[in-house]
């Protein structure tokens, strides 16, 4: 239980609503900053402005998926005001406070390090990334269906990368009857793709494998779909780029060639914010419980 503990939510999107709900169920004291346009009210929570006093009283600071941008701005879709997490706010946090975010840019990482505040990047964790790959892949399939006039069944579908997202995606495409080819760079991953009954190829040979592709899903956070590769992609193929910004496609060249290439960020928050929020909430609560059991109340819980 979070009885008597103060959780400050700073901005976020619909995913955060599930985390708020869970903290209320766990009897935490919840303050909301950047939720002034929220339609439904959470009873027992308080709407606050971000100030030094609030920071001094926080046991947990919950930030959105992309914690802050490089200038400290926090994304807050339920507020019309701009929100900034400044150095003075982080300096004011008690030493036992834990800052949670999906991921953190250098701005947040550096300030937390400077003021010795524990920062947990939830999406860094394998378990969260694997759970999160499920709504990501459902979103990717939604995009593929919307942007093609063929079925996924019997399509030649290329998946670049066999990480947390690539693995889930390849499996689901195969289960839907697609002819799945997976681009990887290690012999271990080539063996795994073969074992899964799909066609492996080395990403260095990508140019030889795009020529008959109907769909190309990129999960590699590097530009593999360069102009020289795109020159061999059929005009009617659709590229769904799942890698984080700036993605893995030379978009200028793709546009010049008339190839449909779509950068599709934040799919869990778009297609399944409730599930995505539950994944974050569950992990956050598990981590807090583990920390309490191991080290005897490091966050004053
Ligand atoms: P991951 O587990 O780290 O997988 C990345 C894959 O890319 C690995 O197979 C890795 O291979 C491969 N790779 C990296 N650099 C490469 C290179 N230069 N050449 C060939 N292969 C390379 O990451 P993930 O969790 O699957 O996420 C993949 C991307 O999707 C990330 O950018 C993540 O931020 C993003 N993402 C987007 C959404 C969305 O909604 N669009 C949702 C979740 C995640 P090795 O193992 O050989 O390094």
């Amino acid at each position: 239980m979070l009885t008597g503990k103060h959780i400050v939510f700073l901005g976020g999107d619909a995913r955060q609503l599930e985390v708020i709900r869970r903290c209320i169920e766990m009897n935490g004291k919840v303050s909301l900053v950047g939720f002034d346009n929220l339609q439904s009210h959470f009873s027992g929570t308080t709407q606050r402005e971000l100030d030094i006093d609030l920071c001094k009283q926080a046991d947990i600071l919950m930030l959105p998926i992309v914690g802050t941008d490089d200038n400290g701005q926090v994304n807050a879709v339920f507020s019309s005001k701009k929100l900034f997490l400044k150095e003075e706010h982080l300096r004011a946090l008690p030493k036992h406070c834990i800052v949670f975010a999906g991921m953190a840019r250098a701005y947040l990482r550096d300030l937390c390090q400077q003021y010795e505040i524990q920062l947990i990047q939830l999406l860094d964790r394998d378990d969260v990334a694997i759970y999160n790959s499920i709504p990501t892949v459902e979103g990717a399939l939604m995009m593929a269906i919307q942007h093609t006039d063929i079925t996924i069944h019997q399509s030649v579908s290329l998946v670049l990368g066999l990480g947390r997202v690539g693995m889930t995606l390849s499996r689901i495409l195969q289960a839907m009857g697609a002819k799945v080819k997976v681009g990887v760079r290690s012999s271990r991953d080539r063996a795994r793709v073969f074992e899964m009954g799909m066609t492996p190829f080395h990403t260095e040979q990508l140019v030889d494998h795009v020529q008959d592709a109907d769909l190309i899903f990129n999960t590699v956070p590097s530009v593999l779909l360069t102009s020289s590769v795109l020159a061999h992609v059929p005009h009617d193929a659709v590229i769904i780029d799942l890698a984080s910004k700036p993605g893995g496609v030379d978009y200028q060249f793709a546009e010049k060639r008339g190839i449909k290439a779509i950068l599709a960020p934040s799919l869990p928050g778009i297609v399944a914010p409730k599930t995505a929020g539950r994944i974050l909430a569950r992990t956050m609560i598990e981590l807090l419980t583990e920390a309490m059991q191991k080290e005897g109340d490091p966050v004053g819980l």
Side-chain angles (χ1 to χ4, degrees):
M1 295 299 272
L2 299 172
T3 308
K5 297 304 150 197
H6 190 190
I7 304 122
V8 176
F9 283 84
L10 186 58
D13 57 28
R15 282 173 277 198
Q16 222 64 326
L17 304 183
E18 279 307 307
V19 189
I20 294 171
R21 203 163 280 134
R22 191 77 183 102
C23 288
I24 296 169
E25 280 168 16
M26 298 284 290
N27 206 28
K29 176 183 169 190
V30 174
S31 293
L32 305 178
V33 183
F35 290 86
D36 35 297
N37 290 342
L38 193 63
Q39 297 290 327
S40 59
H41 284 283
F42 287 106
S43 61
T45 63
T46 321
Q47 298 266 5
R48 298 281 301 263
E49 294 294 323
L50 181 60
D51 57 30
I52 301 298
D53 268 354
L54 179 66
C55 293
K56 281 183 179 166
Q57 297 157 17
D59 296 309
I60 296 156
L61 177 63
M62 192 73 199
L63 298 172
I65 294 299
V66 180
T68 68
D69 72 5
D70 294 325
N71 303 310
Q73 187 167 353
V74 176
N75 180 40
V77 301
F78 298 111
S79 178
S80 41
K81 297 179 207 156
K82 283 193 173 175
L83 261 185
F84 286 90
L85 182 66
K86 298 182 184 158
E87 181 169 355
E88 67 214 50
H89 299 129
L90 284 151
R91 195 193 300 131
L93 293 174
K95 286 283 172 263
H96 69 260
C97 180
I98 299 183
V99 176
F100 283 93
M103 59 181 98
R105 297 263 167 89
Y107 173 90
L108 180 62
R109 286 199 309 270
D110 292 351
L111 283 174
C112 285
Q113 196 179 19
Q114 189 180 337
Y115 293 105
E116 294 172 8
I117 299 293
Q118 190 183 352
L119 169 68
I120 296 182
Q121 299 181 63
L122 291 165
L123 292 181
D124 250 8
R125 293 174 53 91
D126 249 350
D127 56 353
V128 176
I130 292 170
Y131 288 126
N132 212 39
S133 73
I134 302 166
T136 305
V137 167
E138 290 193 10
L141 295 173
M142 177 191 78
M143 307 272 320
I145 291 166
Q146 277 173 350
H147 290 279
T148 53
D149 52 8
I150 55 166
T151 56
I152 288 175
H153 182 262
Q154 289 297 299
S155 68
V156 174
S157 289
L158 263 58
V159 177
L160 305 181
L162 192 72
R164 281 89 49 107
V165 175
M167 173 82 81
T168 307
L169 180 57
S170 311
R171 279 220 195 91
I172 293 184
L173 286 167
Q174 190 188 37
M176 290 175 80
K179 295 168 190 159
V180 185
K181 295 182 179 184
V182 187
V184 293
R185 61 179 174 180
S186 70
S187 52
R188 178 179 171 274
D189 283 348
R190 274 207 303 283
R192 178 59 66 199
V193 174
F194 174 79
E195 174 275 321
M196 288 161 69
M198 303 164 197
T199 308
F201 65 90
H202 198 292
T203 43
E204 277 171 8
Q205 266 91 54
L206 181 55
V207 76
D208 301 329
H209 292 271
V210 292
Q211 309 187 7
D212 61 346
D214 296 306
L215 280 158
I216 302 173
F217 297 91
N218 176 55
T219 76
V220 173
S222 292
V223 182
L224 295 189
L225 290 154
T226 57
S227 54
S228 48
V229 172
L230 290 171
H232 295 87
V233 171
H235 284 280
D236 56 354
V238 173
I239 301 171
I240 313 277
D241 189 1
L242 301 171
S244 294
K245 277 180 194 167
V249 181
D250 180 338
Y251 281 95
Q252 258 185 343
F253 190 81
E255 196 180 344
K256 210 157 93 187
R257 271 209 85 215
I259 298 167
K260 205 184 271 183
I262 304 153
L263 184 61
S266 299
L267 289 170
I270 295 167
V271 298
K274 200 170 204 172
T275 306
R278 282 180 182 164
I279 293 166
L280 298 176
R282 188 175 55 217
T283 309
M284 185 187 117
I285 304 282
E286 268 173 25
L287 286 174
L288 291 172
T289 312
E290 267 170 34
M292 281 160 58
Q293 283 167 352
K294 268 191 205 152
E295 291 163 38
D297 207 8
V299 289
L301 291 166

